[in-house]
Amino acid sequence: MNILVFVKATIDRNAPLDPDEIFPGDRDDKSDVMTNNYDKNAIEAALRIIEEKGEGKVTAVCLGSDMADKVVKEAIAMGCHGAIRIENSKAEVTHFFSVAKILAAAAKKIGEYDLLLFGMQSYDYGTATMAPMVSEFLDLPLACWVEKVAFTNGKVVVDKVIEGGIRKVEIQMPAVLSIASSGDFEEPRYTSVRRIMKASKTEVPVWEIADLGIEEKKPSVEFDDIEEPPARTEKCIVFDDGDANELVGELIGALKEKGLNLGAYK
Amino acid sequence: MAKILIILENSKGKFVGLTKECLTVVQKLAGDLNADVEGIVLGHGINELAQEAGKYGVKKIYKVDDAEFSGINILYHTRTIEALIKEIDPTLVIAGASLYGQELVPRLAARFDKAMFASVNNLSIDDDEYEGIHPLFEEKLFVTMEGSAEELTFATILGGNNPEAEPDDNLSAEVVDFSPVIEDSDKRESFVEETIAKVSVDITKAKLLVSGGRGVGSGEKFAVIRDTAKALGGEVGASRAAVDAGWVAYDHEIGQTGKTVTPDFYIAAGISGAIQHLVGMRNSKTIIVVNTDEEAPIVEIAHFAIIGDLHEVLPELAKQL
Ligand SMILES: Cc1cc2nc3c(=O)[nH]c(=O)nc-3n(C[C@H](O)[C@H](O)[C@H](O)COP(=O)(O)OP(=O)(O)OC[C@H]3O[C@@H](n4cnc5c(N)ncnc54)[C@H](O)[C@@H]3O)c2cc1C
Ligand SMILES: Nc1ncnc2c1ncn2[C@@H]1O[C@H](COP(=O)(O)O)[C@@H](O)[C@H]1O
């Protein structure tokens, strides 16, 4: 079983955001970069599938600048057998439509795969378009928001999240899956400092976009201005000191001060 | 005359709420573009549903009514809608950004080699350009997407940003049968089964909600949420984790795959604040969090937070009020 898992480097959740620097490649500080959270669920799924099968190989694939080295190495430290980074210096290619074409072309170049796993969404873009677009460009069947997988003769049977429940579908491999943040792969494994040290010594091949043979096409929908929502004026008032009786007393007092009556609906 | 094609998502014989929100967006666009609204509805035994779409201003409905469509198969849907697009040549293809829409529409757009307005709050027209705003970084920033209105365009509309369209009994639509198009390669996907919970309680009108998550601990312990809601005169809400665990019925689920609520008070107990939950409750007037973890993301959007064990705090709250 050959699995490709697509991982993205995004700006760390705890780092301040600047509308002019939304790509890790735009920033100077490498510590601001993290693995897109949901991609760890995808890595977890890939590793578990291989472990259960007792054979196979997981390759992490990432389009990003050298800032993303940290991310592919984390994937290796978690247990991926190899990784490929596609150079996107200074974030030249940023549109999801173009990214999907590049990732599909990279998969083609790798050639051998049974499953292509994606995180269910990226933290920065969050368009959730990558898995469906790549599956279309490669003409592969697809299931999104997968919580559980099982295998029967060349097919993968998945449980996917739907509104109000779960849908089970059976799809022929090779196939594309996006992995849910909930369900069997909810808790990605931790990796140790030792493994990260070891992974950081691994050579990760770097591919050039130009070698992937993609025909350039201007996306039909483009990004324009990036803006911040109106800032919230009040910060959360936190009560953390005292027993339940005191904490609740303080809360009720604070509500009263703001003219709010939690007891009004009894 | 230009045409807008709306994909009318349905479940259990009804249009989903998000499709009705999308119809509001479409009605406005139809006016601005001077376009006719046409719709496609896919399923099995959907005669009445197809008729009903007319009440929302859809002029012509393409009905794909076939046993092969009793369960959703995305490849069948993609192929059949592709065929319809080629036949009727719409300028815009639009659907709700539900889980179905998010899986189907990007695939469809890619088939026509198009980018798309992916999960936008709204879609409007300015001169001959479409404009849509898409949240980045879990709504910490927003990007405007733009694209020419002269080209075939695809869009999905996020829930919770537009009111649901109201039916008008004076309106009706022409319903046309459209034959399914399925190729052999589409049989690489097959529907097996699905479970969808029934909805009987409506919590969306409650002024006060006490909502419990995985942090409640067990089905038995979930009683503390019900007791507190009762004592305060509110309704019970829940995260998907609590619903999945079977502690509380789906009717109470709040978020992307549940309800959107905006009560005066929302008390979130033992809920971490995944974005899928936040989108369903972040517009509540006053948000109070009870969580053992001060760093839980839900604290960021709350107005008040008590850091402590919900099993101690909630009974105390009921007592002191
Ligand atoms: C496609 C898709 C759609 C989804 N849609 C939804 C949706 O509509 N709604 C939704 O809610 N989720 C949805 N989810 C799931 C979502 O991603 C999260 O997994 C879920 O919201 C987590 O629920 P939780 O906060 O209850 O649990 P957790 O994230 O496990 O959080 C539990 C919290 O309880 C706290 N806690 C523990 N013990 C105590 C205690 N004694 N007292 C107080 N606090 C305590 C912990 O500190 C923690 O913050 C969806 C997921 C997918 C993949
Ligand atoms: N630049 C990238 N390199 C590798 N994988 C990516 C990249 N961008 C997105 N992905 C994958 O696509 C998923 C969905 O992202 P998105 O469509 O941006 O919401 C992510 O969770 C990743 O698995």
Side-chain angles (χ1 to χ4, degrees), chain B residues 219-261:
Chain B
E220 265 158 51
K221 290 185 182 169
F222 207 83
V224 73
I225 302 293
R226 295 193 183 91
D227 293 346
T228 311
K230 197 162 176 209
L232 301 184
E235 292 277 1
V236 171
S239 73
R240 183 166 174 118
V243 173
D244 278 350
W247 304 344
V248 51
Y250 171 63
D251 305 51
H252 301 274
E253 183 172 316
I254 289 162
Q256 188 190 357
T257 49
K259 297 273 163 37
T260 301
V261 296

Side-chain angles (χ1 to χ4, degrees), chain B residues 16 47-48 51 64 91 97 135 140 150 173 176 186 201 218 229-230 235 292 301:
Chain B
V16 303
N47 238 333
E48 275 174 45
Q51 294 290 350
V64 182
T91 77
K140 292 185 198 86
E150 325 257 88
V176 185
D186 299 328
V201 184
S218 73
K230 197 162 176 209
E235 292 277 1
T292 42
I301 67 146

Side-chain angles (χ1 to χ4, degrees), chain A residues 6-9 36 38-39 42 61-64 96 99 103 117-122 124-131:
Chain A
F6 291 85
V7 295
K8 183 175 194 182
N36 181 43
Y38 296 135
D39 299 354
V61 182
C62 172
L63 171 71
F96 56 86
V99 174
L103 297 183
L117 303 190
F118 288 79
M120 65 175 200
Q121 216 167 16
S122 57
D124 46 8
Y125 278 17
T127 58
T129 49
M130 212 47 66

Side-chain angles (χ1 to χ4, degrees), chain B residues 58-317:
Chain B
V58 183
K59 291 252 170 61
K60 192 167 183 178
I61 313 284
Y62 296 91
K63 176 170 64 103
V64 182
D65 195 335
D66 193 287
E68 293 276 22
F69 286 71
S70 16
I72 289 180
N73 176 320
I74 294 288
L75 290 177
Y76 293 179
H77 282 228
T78 310
R79 187 76 63 193
T80 301
I81 300 171
E82 175 196 359
L84 179 66
I85 292 171
K86 286 183 174 155
E87 186 175 312
I88 68 169
D89 189 28
T91 77
L92 174 65
V93 179
I94 191 167
S98 60
L99 297 181
Y100 164 79
Q102 288 189 73
E103 194 168 2
L104 172 77
V105 183
R107 173 151 213 154
L108 205 48
R111 193 161 289 183
F112 286 87
D113 208 23
K114 298 286 184 191
M116 64 175 290
F117 288 89
S119 301
V120 286
N121 290 345
N122 198 338
L123 188 72
S124 56
I125 185 108
D126 185 14
D127 279 335
D128 43 13
E129 292 246 298
Y130 289 115
E131 218 179 82
I133 293 176
H134 168 79
L136 303 169
F137 298 95
E138 301 187 346
E139 312 194 337
K140 292 185 198 86
L141 295 176
F142 290 84
V143 65
T144 305
M145 294 185 181
E146 285 179 350
S148 161
E150 325 257 88
E151 272 188 60
L152 171 62
T153 300
F154 293 84
T156 52
I157 304 294
L158 281 173
N161 296 288
N162 302 281
E164 289 186 9
E166 294 292 336
D168 178 345
D169 286 336
N170 299 318
L171 298 175
S172 66
E174 175 194 356
V175 178
V176 185
D177 280 312
F178 191 76
S179 303
V181 184
I182 298 171
E183 287 183 8
D184 274 349
S185 68
D186 299 328
K187 295 184 180 149
R188 288 178 294 172
E189 174 181 346
S190 52
F191 173 82
V192 180
E193 60 182 15
E194 69 186 14
T195 49
I196 302 186
K198 269 218 229 49
V199 176
S200 42
V201 184
D202 181 12
I203 59 163
T204 60
K205 302 211 169 63
K207 295 260 183 246
L208 186 154
L209 279 161
V210 183
S211 210
R214 186 180 282 139
V216 175
S218 73
E220 265 158 51
K221 290 185 182 169
F222 207 83
V224 73
I225 302 293
R226 295 193 183 91
D227 293 346
T228 311
K230 197 162 176 209
L232 301 184
E235 292 277 1
V236 171
S239 73
R240 183 166 174 118
V243 173
D244 278 350
W247 304 344
V248 51
Y250 171 63
D251 305 51
H252 301 274
E253 183 172 316
I254 289 162
Q256 188 190 357
T257 49
K259 297 273 163 37
T260 301
V261 296
T262 52
D264 292 346
F265 288 100
Y266 187 88
I267 304 178
I271 294 177
S272 64
I275 185 69
Q276 296 82 19
H277 186 78
L278 301 187
V279 294
M281 46 65 70
R282 63 173 163 197
N283 291 327
S284 303
K285 290 194 192 77
T286 300
I287 298 168
I288 302 169
V289 164
V290 183
N291 200 303
T292 42
D293 177 9
E294 186 168 1
E295 313 239 294
I298 196 157
V299 175
E300 275 173 45
I301 67 146
H303 301 94
F304 301 93
I306 292 185
I307 307 307
D309 183 346
L310 68 95
H311 293 289
E312 290 169 19
V313 173
L314 291 182
E316 188 64 36
L317 192 61

Side-chain angles (χ1 to χ4, degrees), chain A residues 215-229:
Chain A
E215 180 197 334
E216 262 188 56
K217 187 170 191 256
K218 196 163 98 61
S220 58
V221 173
E222 293 185 288
F223 292 156
D224 198 34
D225 295 345
I226 294 175
E227 277 172 71
E228 288 172 87

